[in-house]
């Protein structure tokens, strides 16, 4: 242990109420990081060092009449710290509730509830094991009455155990009551319909008095794995739409209120998330109660991660007891929660005999659940599930097509959501829907884990590693900013993609060369496990050239869970014109606790076969122009046009029409402010950002080879030949007309990098240009590998709203598949078009300002608007946060790229 071991000392005086007299007293610490000693009235009571599980002490013999004095010494580091090396904020102290409670000497010590299904799901067995306090006199003569109530508090059944003394057999648990009761036609529990019963257990002494009462929620459900390796819930294939979750709140750190947990679950459910892995430790007991009630599957994870020293402890017999204790105590505490479907042996600790011991104990104690563990892909004597983190698609397909290992395949971590990320998400889900044994996974992770600081004026700021001048900072200081929601629980744009791609309802269109009578080309897939689609209204729109020309709602569907149903095309074919799409929307038809009636849970866009594409081009010609060429500039003009092009920088330094400023710039641009995925782990792993900066893409390195100007009918042509960064050659032709500029560009990319971030042009407008309107994907930010949820349409917004408030400012606000864009300021307007679709982003801050800012408030001020028009913009990646993982189809590799864009002045 470090010599300087930060220590907190806590003291409290209290009195015991009279009704606690003649009872056994206990104190329970729900969470203390990382270890502590306890004294009561000057006497040493005990020590605990698992920071994420309840530590309970019997203090009956330490209590005195009147004032009692409690003292707790909490240390930042203890022996258990070797097992608690998770990648997160390490915050020490007492962070969960401390409770003193009293129980009668004759009491229920523990109980285990299991729901068993010996046949089909028409009937169930309620199996209950009750452990009495065997320190009480005559406890063997006591028994327990059990009462099961339904959700409406109506009694379902009531039965009693024989007295504990009757439960005796050779070499078995003696004086432990084990009973079963058949429950006919039980309502089943699932994430979709989390129906809960209430079981009340009453301890009855030999005189017939009720001396102790316990109660628990009961969910009748069965988790099984069939002989093909498919994990099932109540006999149906289970799809895990999961997320990892740290117990964290930006205002209170490790202290998380029940209200805050409930809000987290509400947002998860609204994003079609149905499962949580408690990374990487057990959470507070209130979390599991909420998951039982609201319908979230849980992978309950032991508080074991030896990341810093590798896997050497996992095979050490000296550490076996520590491993076993953490696993057993977790299971004993949480065993009665129906939401828990899998136990996890921890995270990133290698694997060894200690994991096998944990697995063996859990599987013998709890035969109703399975065990998972990831590190190094352990064999079946350690994990019932193949639970890899960040697997590559090729390996997934290899596993799915192999019969060597038929365990269910569920990614314990994938889709690293740091910064502007989550590209390629749909590609994983295409495989999940293709291979039954590939059953989903847990996104890393749910929420950006930033802490709140306030400045001298009281303004709130979310901060990350290094903000507190810590001595030890991760090589990627912002590594904890890897959620699909921001610290304040508002959605990142990627959340919309995740919601849509993993939605439990999907619609597609089967392309046919000709119509077949009676065959419906549109299909709806019900990926729910237990419910039909009658809770949804399926709306539709016929959209032509971005405008809705017809809409309606399909008849109510009752498609069973797991089924596919054909849909009749609902629109009038005679109304189809131009570029046409059919949009479908699946919306809730009643209020839920997490969303109001009418909330869309899924949207789909299908391009119609009768769609006619149009090349959107601008008209730049309006009268003849003259030009004057000087040593350092070219001046193009007529009565209403005044354009100045710099021969020193190869870009426009003034574009004026009708005596008003429009824009400047027009130079080639190949750089973007690196995202968290682009940056990777600086100095430790290869990453795109270092490659781009080494090449000089973040600077204005260019060699102007030649500039030529000549007059053409109704325009002036400037031809520019430039070599950027010694390896990217451009031949750009600017045709300046009386009402705009047409730019034709040939880019020869010989850059020795995996991908360029973009190929495009940059323009600067005055600050008054505040409004935009575009026909393309929207309304939220989207990129080449993250765009399926952003439907093609006509959208209007402001330049200010294009900024996405990532804690570390990065590339943001991009829009894909754009047909045209209007940028406007009051009565002035510029229309941007291209021979094909293009990508754009527009901001109040420059690329350089984004590139240099560590926080949003460091972006500074600007009196300009910066528009970037890209022929191609690279994907975001996001398979991991420390490798180069933009997929090949979304890269901008070596090659020749030719494109044309037009900026038209619109009257």
């Amino acid at each position: 242990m470090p010599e300087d071991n930060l220590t907190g000392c806590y003291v409290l005086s209290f009195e015991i109420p009279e009704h606690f007299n003649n009872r056994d007293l206990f104190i329970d610490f729900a969470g203390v990081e990382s270890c502590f000693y306890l004294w009561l009235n000057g006497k040493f009571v005990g020590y605990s060092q698992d920071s994420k599980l309840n530590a309970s002490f019997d203090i009956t013999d330490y209590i005195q009449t009147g004032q009692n004095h409690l003292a707790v010494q909490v240390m930042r580091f203890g022996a258990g710290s070797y097992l608690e090396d998770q990648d997160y904020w390490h915050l020490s102290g007492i962070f969960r509730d401390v409770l003193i409670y009293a129980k009668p000497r004759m009491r229920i010590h523990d109980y285990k509830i299991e729901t068993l299904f010996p046949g089909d799901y028409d009937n169930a067995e309620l199996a209950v094991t009750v452990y009495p306090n065997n320190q009480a006199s005559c406890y063997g003569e006591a028994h327990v009455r059990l009462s099961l109530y339904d959700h409406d508090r109506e009694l379902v059944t009531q039965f009693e155990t024989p007295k504990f003394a009757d439960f005796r057999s050779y070499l078995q648990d003696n004086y432990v009551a084990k009973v079963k009761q058949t429950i006919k036609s039980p309502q089943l529990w699932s994430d979709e319909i989390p129906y809960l019963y209430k079981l009340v257990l009453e301890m009855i002494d030999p005189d017939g008095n009720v001396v102790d009462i316990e109660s628990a929620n009961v969910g009748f459900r069965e988790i099984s794995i069939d002989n093909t390796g498919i994990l099932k819930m109540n006999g149906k294939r289970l799809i895990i739409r999961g997320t990892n979750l740290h117990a964290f709140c930006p205002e209170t750190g490790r202290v998380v209120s029940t209200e805050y947990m409930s809000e987290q679950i509400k947002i998860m459910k609204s994003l079609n998330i149905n499962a949580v892995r408690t990374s990487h430790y057990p959470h507070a007991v209130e979390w599991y109660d909420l998951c039982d009630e609201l319908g979230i599957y849980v992978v309950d994870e032991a508080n074991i991660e030896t990341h810093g020293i590798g896997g050497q402890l996992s095979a050490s017999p000296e550490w076996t007891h520590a491993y076993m204790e953490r696993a057993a105590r977790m299971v004993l505490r949480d065993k009665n929660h129906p939401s828990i479907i899998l136990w996890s042996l921890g995270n990133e600790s290698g694997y060894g005999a200690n994991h096998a011991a944990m697995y063996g104990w859990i599987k013998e104690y709890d035969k109703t659940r399975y065990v998972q563990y990831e590190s190094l892909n352990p064999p079946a004597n350690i994990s019932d599930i193949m639970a890899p983190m960040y697997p590559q698609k090729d390996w997934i397909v290899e596993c799915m097509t192999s019969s060597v290992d038929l365990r269910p395949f569920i990614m314990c971590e994938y889709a690293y959501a740091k910064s502007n990320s989550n590209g390629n998400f749909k590609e994983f889900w295409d495989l999940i829907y293709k291979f039954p044994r590939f059953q989903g996974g847990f996104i890393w992770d749910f929420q950006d884990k930033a802490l709140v600081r306030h400045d001298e004026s009281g303004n709130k700021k979310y901060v990350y590693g290094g903000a507190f001048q810590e001595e030890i900072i991760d090589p990627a200081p912002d590594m904890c900013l890897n959620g699909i929601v921001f610290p304040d629980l508002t959605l990142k744009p990627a959340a919309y993609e995740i919601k849509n791609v993993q939605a439990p309802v999907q619609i597609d269109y089967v392309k046919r060369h000709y119509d077949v009578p009676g065959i419906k080309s549109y299909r709806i897939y019900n990926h729910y496990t237990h419910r039909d689609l009658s809770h949804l209204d399926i709306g539709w729109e016929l959209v032509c050239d971005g405008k809705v020309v017809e809409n309606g709602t399909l008849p109510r569907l009752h498609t069973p869970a797991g089924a596919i149903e054909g849909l009749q095309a609902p629109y009038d074919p005679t109304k189809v014109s131009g570029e046409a799409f059919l949009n479908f929307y699946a919306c809730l038809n009643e209020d839920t606790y997490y969303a109001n009636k009418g909330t869309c849970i899924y949207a789909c866009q299908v391009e119609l076969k009768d769609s006619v594409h149009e090349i959107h081009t601008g008209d730049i010609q309006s009268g003849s122009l003259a030009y004057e060429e000087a040593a350092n500039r070219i001046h193009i003009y007529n009565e209403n046009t005044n354009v100045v092009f710099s021969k020193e920088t190869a870009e426009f330094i003034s574009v004026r029409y009708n005596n008003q400023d429009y824009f400047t710039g027009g130079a080639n641009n190949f750089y973007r402010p690196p995202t968290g995925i682009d940056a990777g782990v600086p100095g430790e792993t290869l990453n795109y950002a270092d490659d781009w900066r080494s090449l000089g893409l973040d600077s204005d390195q260019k060699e102007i080879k030649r500039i030529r100007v000549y007059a053409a009918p109704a325009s002036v042509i400037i031809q520019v030949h430039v070599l950027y960064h010694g390896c990217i050659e451009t031949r750009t032709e600017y045709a300046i007309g009386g009402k705009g500029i047409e730019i034709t560009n040939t880019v020869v990319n010989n850059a020795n990098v995996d991908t360029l971030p973009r190929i495009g042009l940059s323009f600067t407008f005055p600050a008054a240009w505040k409004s935009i309107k575009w026909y393309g994907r929207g309304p939220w930010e989207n990129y080449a590998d993250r765009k399926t949820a952003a439907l093609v349409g006509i959208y209007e917004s402001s330049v200010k709203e294009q900024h996405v408030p990532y804690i570390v400012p990065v590339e943001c606000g991009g829009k894909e598949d754009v047909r045209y864009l209007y940028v406007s300021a009051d009565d002035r307007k510029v229309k941007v078009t291209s021979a094909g679709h293009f990508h754009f982003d527009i901001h109040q801050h420059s690329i350089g300002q984004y590139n240099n800012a560590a926080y949003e408030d460091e972006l500074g001020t600007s009196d300009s608007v910066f528009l970037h028009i890209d022929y191609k913009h690279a994907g975001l990646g996001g398979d991991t946060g420390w490798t180069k993982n933009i997929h090949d189809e979304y890269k901008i590799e070596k090659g020749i790229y030719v494109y044309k864009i037009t900026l038209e002045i619109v009257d």
Side-chain angles (χ1 to χ4, degrees):
M1 292 300 104
E3 290 185 8
D4 295 328
N5 193 0
L6 189 64
T7 299
C9 296
Y10 305 83
V11 293
L12 176 71
S13 296
F14 63 93
E15 293 186 4
I16 293 298
E18 289 185 6
H19 66 273
F20 276 26
N21 293 339
N22 302 316
R23 290 171 171 258
D24 289 345
L25 275 67
F26 301 86
I27 187 169
D28 180 87
F29 292 82
V32 181
E33 189 167 337
S34 63
C35 59
F36 68 97
Y37 293 97
L38 172 65
W39 292 266
L40 184 57
N41 296 321
K43 299 178 181 178
F44 177 67
V45 177
Y47 168 83
S48 177
Q49 65 176 23
D50 184 336
S51 65
K52 304 302 193 301
L53 281 174
N54 299 60
S56 296
F57 301 88
D58 186 338
I59 56 173
T60 307
D61 295 337
Y62 301 85
I63 289 291
Q64 61 189 26
T65 303
Q67 285 282 314
N68 288 268
H69 304 284
L70 186 71
V72 182
Q73 177 182 327
V74 180
M75 283 78 69
R76 182 165 177 80
F77 298 108
S81 299
Y82 287 98
L83 301 179
E84 299 183 8
D85 192 24
Q86 291 91 351
D87 292 322
Y88 69 163
W89 289 96
H90 287 268
L91 306 173
S92 302
I94 301 172
F95 62 94
R96 293 180 187 158
D97 290 344
V98 180
L99 176 68
I100 293 176
Y101 63 96
K103 295 285 281 183
R105 175 57 60 94
M106 182 172 286
R107 61 179 178 269
I108 297 171
H109 174 69
D110 196 8
Y111 58 94
K112 180 168 68 170
I113 303 168
E114 297 172 311
T115 58
L116 309 175
F117 296 85
D120 53 26
Y121 295 94
D122 292 335
N123 298 307
E125 286 186 348
L126 178 64
V128 185
T129 303
V130 185
Y131 301 84
N133 173 31
N134 57 19
Q135 301 303 305
S137 60
C138 302
Y139 78 93
E141 299 304 308
H143 71 282
V144 175
R145 179 167 60 225
L146 301 101
S147 304
L148 184 69
Y149 298 87
D150 66 15
H151 186 71
D152 298 320
R153 300 184 180 181
E154 295 291 333
L155 182 66
V156 175
T157 186
Q158 188 176 81
F159 56 103
E160 297 186 5
T161 71
K163 60 185 181 181
F164 288 103
D166 292 344
F167 291 93
R168 288 183 292 180
S169 59
Y170 180 64
L171 298 181
Q172 297 292 318
D173 277 344
N174 287 325
Y175 295 85
V176 175
K178 298 180 180 181
V179 293
K180 292 181 180 180
Q181 182 79 353
T182 298
I183 307 299
K184 295 182 178 181
S185 304
Q187 294 278 352
L188 300 181
W189 185 96
S190 70
D191 69 301
E192 298 160 11
I193 307 173
Y195 190 95
L196 290 175
Y197 294 81
K198 179 73 74 174
L199 181 66
V200 177
L201 301 90
E202 298 170 283
M203 184 85 151
I204 301 173
D205 69 12
D207 296 326
N209 301 309
V210 175
V211 293
D212 190 25
I213 301 175
E214 295 282 351
S215 68
N217 288 324
V218 177
F220 284 89
R221 56 96 180 100
E222 180 186 55
I223 305 142
S224 60
I225 297 176
D226 70 13
N227 57 12
T228 65
I230 296 175
L231 181 69
K232 294 186 172 183
M233 169 61 68
N234 302 329
K236 305 291 183 65
R237 179 193 180 224
L238 183 58
I239 297 178
I240 297 295
R241 304 175 182 91
T243 182
N244 284 272
L245 179 71
H246 274 292
F248 191 86
C249 173
E251 283 78 16
T252 55
R254 197 82 70 232
V255 179
V256 186
S257 69
T258 304
E259 294 75 18
Y260 194 80
M261 297 177 198
S262 181
E263 185 64 21
Q264 288 177 314
I265 292 177
K266 178 180 177 181
I267 294 167
M268 290 177 189
K269 298 286 280 192
S270 73
L271 294 176
N272 295 318
I273 290 170
N274 69 351
V276 164
R277 176 184 178 223
T278 62
S279 53
H280 297 293
Y281 42 80
H283 287 201
V285 292
E286 294 83 0
W287 170 256
Y288 305 90
D289 290 336
L290 287 170
C291 291
D292 294 342
E293 176 188 349
L294 302 178
I296 291 287
Y297 298 124
V298 176
V299 173
D300 202 8
E301 187 148 283
N303 186 20
I304 299 175
E305 180 170 340
T306 64
H307 205 153
I309 57 173
Q312 65 194 69
L313 303 185
S314 297
S316 169
E318 295 176 336
W319 286 82
T320 300
H321 177 73
Y323 277 64
M324 286 290 296
E325 185 179 62
R326 287 170 182 250
R329 290 182 64 230
M330 173 185 71
V331 173
L332 290 171
R333 189 195 73 167
D334 298 338
K335 60 185 175 295
N336 292 324
H337 289 282
S339 57
I340 297 173
I341 60 172
L342 296 168
W343 303 110
S344 170
L345 304 183
N347 188 62
E348 292 182 326
S349 304
Y351 72 83
N354 294 338
H355 288 104
M358 296 160 71
Y359 174 91
W361 186 90
I362 293 173
K363 291 302 293 283
E364 179 59 29
Y365 179 81
D366 181 8
K367 295 180 172 64
T368 68
R369 297 182 179 94
Y370 295 94
V371 174
Q372 78 166 46
Y373 183 62
E374 172 274 333
S375 196
L376 301 180
N377 191 25
N381 67 316
I382 289 175
S383 181
D384 298 308
I385 311 292
M386 290 186 70
M389 57 172 60
Y390 311 106
Q392 294 185 348
K393 287 196 310 176
D394 290 347
W395 184 68
I396 294 173
V397 173
E398 181 182 332
C399 291
M400 292 301 100
T401 55
S402 171
S403 60
V404 174
D405 191 336
L406 292 180
R407 289 178 289 173
F409 192 106
I410 300 171
M411 298 173 289
C412 73
E413 295 178 21
Y414 80 115
Y416 197 77
K418 181 182 176 185
S419 178
N420 186 1
S421 179
N422 296 118
N424 317 314
F425 190 76
K426 181 179 183 298
E427 297 176 28
F428 287 96
W429 280 82
D430 288 343
L431 296 179
I432 290 166
Y433 293 133
K434 181 177 181 179
F435 298 108
R437 197 163 51 83
F438 185 18
Q439 297 186 242
F442 297 87
I443 295 163
W444 189 270
D445 64 1
F446 179 64
Q447 181 178 1
D448 278 359
K449 294 164 292 301
L451 286 169
V452 167
R453 293 194 73 175
H454 293 88
D455 62 21
E456 294 178 355
S457 301
N459 298 314
K460 183 166 69 173
K461 179 178 180 178
Y462 294 110
V463 300
Y464 52 88
F468 301 93
Q469 293 75 51
E470 310 98 290
E471 293 181 2
I472 300 174
I473 304 171
D474 193 89
D478 60 337
M479 72 157 297
C480 287
L481 306 180
N482 43 24
I484 60 173
V485 302
F486 289 110
D488 62 358
L489 299 180
T490 57
L491 304 187
K492 289 184 180 179
Y496 297 103
E497 181 85 353
I498 289 165
K499 171 185 177 179
N500 212 60
V501 169
Q502 67 179 16
V505 56
Q506 299 283 319
I507 297 173
D508 70 5
Y509 174 74
V510 181
K511 293 183 179 180
R512 307 179 194 278
H513 294 295
Y514 52 88
D515 291 330
V516 180
I519 300 298
K520 299 174 180 178
S521 295
Y522 296 93
R523 299 179 300 188
I524 189 165
Y525 297 76
N526 182 354
H527 292 298
Y528 284 104
T529 309
H530 293 87
R531 69 189 315 180
D532 65 19
L533 298 183
S534 61
H535 67 292
L536 299 174
D537 286 334
I538 309 299
W540 60 271
E541 295 174 339
L542 175 61
V543 181
C544 299
D545 292 327
K547 299 177 181 178
V548 177
V549 299
E550 189 181 12
N551 59 39
T553 302
L554 298 179
R556 182 67 53 84
L557 297 177
H558 296 271
T559 313
I564 305 170
E565 184 172 347
L567 301 177
Q568 193 69 44
Y571 63 93
D572 181 353
T574 65
K575 295 183 178 181
V576 174
S577 64
E579 186 180 26
F581 296 94
L582 185 60
N583 295 346
F584 290 99
Y585 304 93
C587 302
L588 297 172
N589 57 33
E590 57 185 19
D591 290 338
T592 68
Y593 76 89
Y594 61 86
N596 294 328
K597 177 181 178 179
T599 298
C600 179
I601 69 161
Y602 169 73
C604 168
Q605 185 170 66
V606 178
E607 184 176 2
L608 299 182
K609 65 179 182 179
D610 297 326
S611 178
V612 177
H613 292 264
E614 176 185 351
I615 297 177
H616 296 272
T617 57
D619 180 11
I620 65 168
Q621 296 183 354
S622 178
S624 61
L625 294 108
Y627 74 88
E628 296 175 355
E629 184 176 9
N632 61 352
R633 63 177 56 190
I634 300 168
H635 181 204
I636 301 101
Y637 58 92
N638 66 13
E639 181 179 356
N640 299 314
T641 304
N642 198 320
V643 175
V644 180
F645 186 86
S646 171
K647 296 169 70 174
E648 295 177 336
T649 61
E651 58 186 303
F652 295 99
I653 55 177
S654 176
V655 176
R656 291 173 59 84
Y657 289 94
N658 300 317
N659 296 317
Q660 291 185 318
D661 289 325
Y662 276 75
F663 55 84
T664 61
N668 285 272
N669 179 28
F670 307 104
Y671 187 67
R672 72 183 181 195
T675 68
I677 304 301
D678 293 338
V681 183
E684 291 204 355
T685 61
L686 297 176
N687 61 79
Y688 297 117
D690 285 347
D691 290 350
W692 298 338
R693 289 169 178 155
S694 295
L695 194 62
L697 295 185
D698 59 331
S699 63
D700 190 24
Q701 296 178 10
K702 59 186 172 186
E703 178 186 353
I704 300 174
K705 298 285 191 178
R706 183 185 181 191
I707 296 179
R708 177 173 176 254
V709 59
Y710 63 90
S715 66
V716 173
I717 308 297
I718 301 175
Q719 294 178 333
V720 181
H721 180 196
V722 177
L723 181 65
Y724 289 86
H725 314 291
C727 56
I728 305 173
E729 187 176 6
T730 65
R731 295 182 182 270
T732 311
E733 181 177 284
Y734 301 92
I736 299 97
K739 50 183 291 189
I741 300 173
E742 183 178 87
I743 305 170
T744 303
N745 206 8
T746 299
V747 178
V748 181
N749 173 29
N750 283 305
N752 191 26
V753 293
D754 294 277
T755 179
L756 293 178
R758 71 196 325 155
I759 288 178
L761 301 166
S762 295
F763 303 88
T764 303
F765 288 75
W769 292 73
K770 298 178 180 179
S771 300
I772 61 172
K773 178 180 178 180
W774 73 99
Y775 177 28
R777 292 193 179 272
W780 44 76
E781 166 193 274
N782 57 90
Y783 290 83
D785 55 358
R786 199 193 74 205
K787 65 182 183 180
T788 60
L791 306 188
V792 174
I794 296 176
Y795 301 96
E796 296 186 51
S797 186
S798 68
V799 171
K800 181 179 180 180
E801 289 173 329
Q802 300 313 294
H803 171 73
V804 180
Y806 297 106
I807 307 302
V808 179
V810 297
E811 162 67 36
C812 65
K815 306 292 186 296
E816 277 286 313
D817 298 332
V818 179
R819 281 72 166 160
Y820 60 75
L821 163 70
Y822 287 97
V823 184
S824 59
D826 300 325
D827 59 341
R828 288 169 290 168
K829 190 177 296 184
V830 170
K831 181 181 182 181
V832 182
T833 56
S834 174
H837 302 164
F838 61 90
H839 176 106
F840 85 89
D841 66 72
I842 187 167
H843 295 292
Q844 294 176 323
H845 297 91
S846 68
I847 288 177
Q849 287 176 297
Y850 276 94
N851 194 50
N852 296 324
Y855 286 96
E856 193 174 27
D857 60 4
E858 296 178 12
L859 284 169
T861 60
S862 172
D863 58 0
S864 300
V865 168
F866 302 90
L867 171 65
H868 309 289
I869 303 294
D870 296 332
Y871 170 63
K872 284 192 177 296
H873 195 107
L876 298 170
D879 293 354
T880 76
W882 49 91
T883 63
K884 296 178 178 180
N885 55 75
I886 297 173
H887 290 198
D888 289 346
E889 57 268 40
Y890 307 118
K891 291 178 180 177
I892 303 174
E893 299 176 315
K894 288 184 177 181
I896 300 174
Y897 301 86
V898 181
Y899 64 96
K900 179 188 291 186
I901 69 164
T902 303
L903 288 84
E904 178 187 358
I905 308 303
V906 180
D907 296 330

